[in-house]
Every structure is written in C-alpha cells, then in structure tokens.
Amino acid sequence: MALLGDLWGEFWAVLTTLFAAAPYIIGYILIILLMMVIWNGVKRLLTPKHDYSSLKTVTFGDESAVTSNTVASVVSIVLIFVLWGAFTGSKLLPGFMHAPGPFQGEGSFEYTITTPAGDSDTATVSVVVHPTGEDVAAPEVAPGDGIAKNDAIAIPVYRSELLRVDSNDEMGRDEETFITAVDGQAIAPGGSVDVSFGRVAMSDKGTLNIIPATGMQMEPIWLPSPEAVWSRLGDIATVGYRNSTLAEHLGYSLFRVIVGFLLGALVGIPLGYAMGLSNWFRGWFDPIVEFMRPVPPLALIPLVIIWAGIGEVGKIILLFLAALWIMAIAARSGVSGVRISKVHAAYSLGASKWQIMRYVIIPNSLPEIFTGARVAMGVCWGTVVAAELVAAEKGAGMMIMVASKFQSTDIVLMGIILIGIIGFSIDMLMRQAEKWLVPWKGKG
C-alpha cells in the first residue's frame, strides 16, 4: 500500500505539472492552427482553383500527396526561437514580446505583532530585489518607536529569503509575541499573503519567508537566452573546452557514431536478409533479435565495460549494438514485404534465384533498409551521450555531461543543439541518398 501511495503521489505530481503547462501547450497548438489557416488562405488566393492539387480528395497511400511545407518549417523554427527568447528575456526581441519577468527593484510590506496582553504594533520591512551575482546590501532604515522595529533585506532575483523580524523587535516569540498579520491581512504558520512585489509566507515556526514574484520568464540556470548560448558557442569554438576544441569534440562523437552504425549495418543487413529468406535462420535468430530489440543500449554499458574496457572499443561496441538489431529488423521486414507476384513474374521469365535476389528482392527491400538506417542513426546519436559517460576525454556527450555537473546550462543546451543539427543533417543526406539510389520507392 505504501508503494501504491508513493506511485500515486508521483503520478499526481506529473499530472499537476502537465496541467500547469497546459495553457502554453494549448497556446502553441492554437498558433500552429492559426498559421495554417492564414497560409491556406494565402495559398487559395495565389493558386488557380482548378489545378490538379486542388481537385485531389484522396491522399492516403499517395506519397506525393503530402510533403513537408517549407513555409510551415520556417515558421515553426522561427516560432521556437521567438518563444525561447520571449521566456528568457532575450535582447534579440523587443521588450513588448517578452513574457512577464521577475520582480526587480524596491518593495515593502507591513507586519503586525500581537503581545500576550493583546497589544499590537506594526512595522515595515523594506525589500530590495537585485540581479543574481551582484552583492547588494540591505538599505538602512530607521527602527521606529514602537515595539515592532522596521527592518530591511536584500534578495537576489528568483530567490526567497527567511527573515526573523523579531530578532530586533523589543518583544518576540520568546516573550510569546507573534506575527498575526501582513499588510493588514491575517496570517498564521503555514499561510501566506500576497504583497505588491510577490508573496510573504510564514513557516511553521513563525518566521517570514519573503518570496519576490518570479514572473513567467525562466531563470538562466534553467534556460539561458539564445544570445547566451551563441556567446558560449563562440567561446568554445575559439578557446575550446577541457583542453579540446569544439571541432575535436564533435569529430570524436561523429567518428564513434559512424563507425558503430556502419558495423551494425554490415552485420545487421545480411542477418536480416538471412532471416527473411530462410526459415532456419529466422527460427534461429528471431528469438535473439526480438529479445535484444527492446533492451535499451544504456542497460548494456556495464557489460560493455566488463568485456571491452573503457576505451574507444567499448564505446563503438555499444553503438554497434544500438544499430545492429534495428538494421536486422529493417532488412527482414524489407525482404518479407516483397510482393510475391513480382517473384512469380520473375520466375515465369526464366530468372534464376540469384537474379531474383539481385533484381527483385534487394531493390524492393532497400526502402525499408533506408528507413531502418535513419532510425538506427538517430538511436546511435542518442546513445553516444551515454557511451561517452565512460572515461571519455573528448566528445559532445562528454562535454554535455561535464557541463551539467557544474550547472553550465548554456553549454548543455549548446551541445544538444549541435547534436540535433548534425543528426538532422545526416538524416537529410540519407534521405537524399535514398532518392538517388531508390528512385522507385512509392511507385509500386
């Protein structure tokens, strides 16, 4: 029961997070739909009403019917950067496009104390909220003439501070005198009151916790602005990171991924063909492939370290295993998907088994193999970060993991973006190679 309670608590926390993010998700979806409506309206004005595309009603099964819209792709990328800049206060965007930021400046609130005799007194707390990293002293204030004395505090932006105001009052909790109101609103331990610059909460022991408003912008330690990431990219590209240049880090990762992928393809494709053409090979290897396919490559790291050590061989073996099963299944599916009518037609024309293999099975299975290759390359790029956790001195994954330990979010984000760009570029090259090498795909 305790386990179920813990699981339910975690599940509820996830739901709460999703509900909190729901307005942003819905807003993003509405922006997508709005841009689509605007673009379709513009296209109707610019496109003749009786062309072939406008008359098409059936698109399923027609690979030429639905293609990537370049305008939508450009708008999508620009929108992502605009949202990124808006929620980080980027200087690249005008101020009116920024999401509400955290409170910075001066504020104040009043607190009221009540003595055991029922007497009350009020004092003012002056608050200065300053940028993180700056050393700002609390302002000097006159204490006042009452039992409660005025106080002051300096708080970094995005932070909160506990302030025991009774430490300089004439009577405090030691004399059974407690805070009973903030800005005229009653407050008790565990409660809170909204003030002009944020919120004041009370701890269970009666200490005030001053919480300036954080707004909707992300703190740089969680999400740095685009220009901060770009600046870090320039620094690492010229100076380097951990005694290696950026080109060396990316080059090592790219080398490991390509070698691991090629080895996986060299073994996986023949294995898949054998499983697709032979009942014996299918029965022999199918349990192994289906067993290993759902095992994440990360789970194999301890075994790879034991078997191959922590050098480059171990990293490449891990990437090889990440690609092997995907390529084997892709080749097997490609062979199994060849239409039997094509094989019978080739036999009727007098083709031998090797000719059928060369001119029927291989050409018709290549589309599935290319699809599997793209998936395998993506998995390898995802695995290289984990592979470089093990005693790597160079690599994009190593750079990301080391930076995360020092909370250098700009380097982490920069590495993720670079890995994504390189992976996307490789995928585009593989798509173009598929168009050149398999021009018959989707044409029956």
Side-chain angles (χ1 to χ4, degrees):
M1 293 299 294
L3 177 60
L4 289 177
D6 293 340
L7 291 176
W8 173 252
E10 295 293 337
F11 177 69
W12 183 252
V14 172
L15 285 182
T16 303
T17 304
L18 291 177
F19 283 136
Y24 305 105
I25 298 173
I26 294 173
Y28 187 73
I29 294 174
L30 290 177
I31 291 174
I32 294 173
L33 296 177
L34 177 62
M35 296 303 298
M36 184 177 68
V37 171
I38 294 174
W39 171 247
N40 286 335
V42 172
K43 190 167 64 173
R44 285 193 185 97
L45 294 176
L46 300 178
T47 305
K49 296 183 178 180
H50 298 292
D51 68 325
Y52 174 70
S53 297
S54 65
L55 297 176
K56 292 178 85 173
T57 58
V58 179
T59 60
F60 298 105
D62 182 3
E63 294 194 4
S64 65
V66 179
T67 57
S68 178
N69 188 297
T70 304
V71 174
S73 298
V74 173
V75 172
S76 172
I77 295 173
V78 172
L79 179 61
I80 289 174
F81 277 92
V82 169
L83 292 175
W84 181 11
F87 284 94
T88 54
S90 172
K91 297 179 181 179
L92 301 177
L93 296 179
F96 70 89
M97 296 183 68
H98 290 171
F103 176 84
Q104 291 191 52
E106 298 181 357
S108 64
F109 67 91
E110 294 181 344
Y111 70 94
T112 302
I113 60 173
T114 302
T115 67
D119 298 329
S120 297
D121 192 21
T122 300
T124 300
V125 177
S126 300
V127 180
V128 175
V129 183
H130 58 86
T132 304
E134 295 185 3
D135 188 11
V136 177
E140 295 184 2
V141 295
D145 300 326
I147 301 174
K149 303 299 183 182
N150 298 330
D151 215 327
I153 188 172
I155 305 175
V157 69
Y158 291 110
R159 299 291 184 268
S160 63
E161 293 284 350
L162 290 170
L163 177 64
R164 185 172 175 177
V165 293
D166 62 346
S167 60
N168 64 345
D169 290 345
E170 291 184 1
M171 297 181 66
R173 65 185 69 174
D174 295 336
E175 292 80 22
E176 300 296 324
T177 299
F178 302 101
I179 300 171
T180 55
V182 169
D183 276 353
Q185 301 182 48
I187 191 171
S192 64
V193 172
D194 292 333
V195 294
S196 60
F197 59 89
R199 184 165 57 92
V200 176
M202 181 179 284
S203 70
D204 294 336
K205 294 184 177 181
T207 304
L208 294 183
N209 186 18
I210 305 171
I211 310 170
T214 56
M216 297 174 62
Q217 292 185 17
M218 298 290 290
E219 188 178 357
I221 195 173
W222 305 120
L223 182 65
S225 62
E227 61 265 27
V229 176
W230 179 260
S231 175
R232 179 64 66 153
L233 173 62
D235 293 341
I236 295 181
T238 54
V239 179
Y241 185 72
R242 293 183 66 86
N243 301 322
S244 297
T245 64
L246 180 62
E248 289 176 331
H249 285 299
L250 296 178
Y252 268 80
S253 294
L254 189 62
F255 168 78
R256 292 163 181 152
V257 168
I258 291 178
V259 172
F261 167 76
L262 290 178
L263 291 176
L266 287 175
V267 177
I269 293 176
L271 177 60
Y273 273 127
M275 293 171 62
L277 295 172
S278 169
N279 292 336
W280 176 259
F281 278 98
R282 181 79 173 252
W284 188 280
F285 288 105
D286 197 59
I288 301 173
V289 173
E290 293 299 335
F291 174 81
M292 293 299 300
R293 178 181 60 85
V295 176
L298 303 184
L300 303 175
I301 291 179
L303 277 180
V304 171
I305 294 175
I306 294 172
W307 290 345
I310 60 176
E312 290 297 322
V313 175
K315 298 175 179 59
I316 292 175
I317 287 177
L318 186 64
L319 297 171
F320 159 75
L321 294 174
L324 173 62
W325 317 117
I326 298 175
M327 296 305 301
I329 292 174
R332 185 192 67 187
S333 300
V335 173
S336 302
V338 177
R339 294 182 182 178
I340 193 63
S341 58
K342 294 182 178 181
V343 177
H344 290 166
Y347 272 128
S348 66
L349 294 174
S352 64
K353 289 185 177 181
W354 287 109
Q355 287 176 322
I356 290 175
M357 184 71 180
R358 167 66 178 84
Y359 295 103
V360 179
I361 294 177
I362 292 179
N364 283 275
S365 63
L366 282 179
E368 286 281 353
I369 291 175
F370 269 98
T371 301
R374 290 169 54 194
V375 174
M377 180 60 74
V379 172
C380 285
W381 266 114
T383 307
V384 72
V385 176
E388 291 173 351
L389 282 174
V390 184
E393 296 182 356
K394 298 178 182 178
M398 182 279 301
M399 183 172 61
I400 290 173
M401 298 310 300
V402 171
S404 68
K405 295 179 181 179
F406 296 96
Q407 294 185 332
S408 300
T409 316
D410 48 0
I411 299 179
V412 174
L413 199 56
M414 179 202 71
I416 292 172
I417 292 174
L418 290 176
I419 287 178
I421 291 174
I422 294 175
F424 178 75
S425 302
I426 293 176
D427 187 75
M428 294 302 294
L429 289 175
M430 295 178 73
R431 289 186 188 184
Q432 192 60 46
E434 184 180 15
K435 289 182 180 179
W436 291 337
L437 300 174
V438 194
W440 55 86
K441 179 182 179 181
K443 297 181 182 179

